[in-house]
Amino acid sequence: SVCPAVLDAIRQAKGDAQRVVITLDPRRDTPSTLPRLANDWRLGDDTLLLSGSVADVEEAARAFRVSTDRNPRTGEIAHPGLVFVIDGRGRIRYTLNGPSASWLTEALARSAAQ
């Protein structure tokens, strides 16, 4: 799974930015389970963890062009390790696939400077 590496990069990235993680598995990651997941994933108070209805999450994935493939047997979701850096106006400045913390830190710094 790409999730641990991506979450690690998000946690370690330096920069003054609001971090938002959207689950791609709303069937299992329901609003009532999000506090436990945030704790399990070691997300700090500076990171929002979001879920929603299956339709809403699938629509968000389509809007951001994130491909997903749900294994009907196990329920596991295969997906790329995409991280989006979005500026204060809501524009995507950078799309990074499986970034290291240093790449993400650089993208945050460049976005803040623009």
Side-chain angles (χ1 to χ4, degrees), residues 40-56:
D40 290 351
W41 293 348
R42 300 182 341 262
L43 300 178
D45 293 336
D46 62 343
T47 305
L48 297 175
L49 176 58
L50 303 177
S51 186
S53 70
V54 171
D56 287 345

Side-chain angles (χ1 to χ4, degrees), residues 34-113:
L34 294 185
R36 179 186 55 78
L37 284 173
N39 186 57
D40 290 351
W41 293 348
R42 300 182 341 262
L43 300 178
D45 293 336
D46 62 343
T47 305
L48 297 175
L49 176 58
L50 303 177
S51 186
S53 70
V54 171
D56 287 345
V57 172
E58 288 176 348
E59 182 179 332
R62 278 191 301 278
F64 280 92
R65 296 184 180 138
V66 176
S67 62
T68 62
D69 185 32
R70 184 171 188 272
N71 182 321
R73 219 171 16 92
T74 66
E76 291 296 314
I77 306 286
H79 62 86
L82 294 176
V83 176
F84 299 91
V85 176
I86 300 172
D87 69 16
R89 294 184 184 166
R91 296 176 297 188
I92 296 173
R93 287 296 185 184
Y94 298 97
T95 301
L96 307 168
N97 192 353
S100 66
S102 62
W103 284 9
L104 190 48
T105 298
E106 178 69 19
L108 291 169
R110 287 182 183 200
S111 181

Side-chain angles (χ1 to χ4, degrees), residues 13-35:
K14 308 251 187 294
D16 187 24
Q18 174 66 61
R19 290 157 168 80
V20 178
V21 175
I22 301 173
T23 178
L24 295 174
D25 191 0
R27 290 171 181 85
R28 294 189 286 193
D29 302 342
T30 62
S32 65
T33 66
L34 294 185

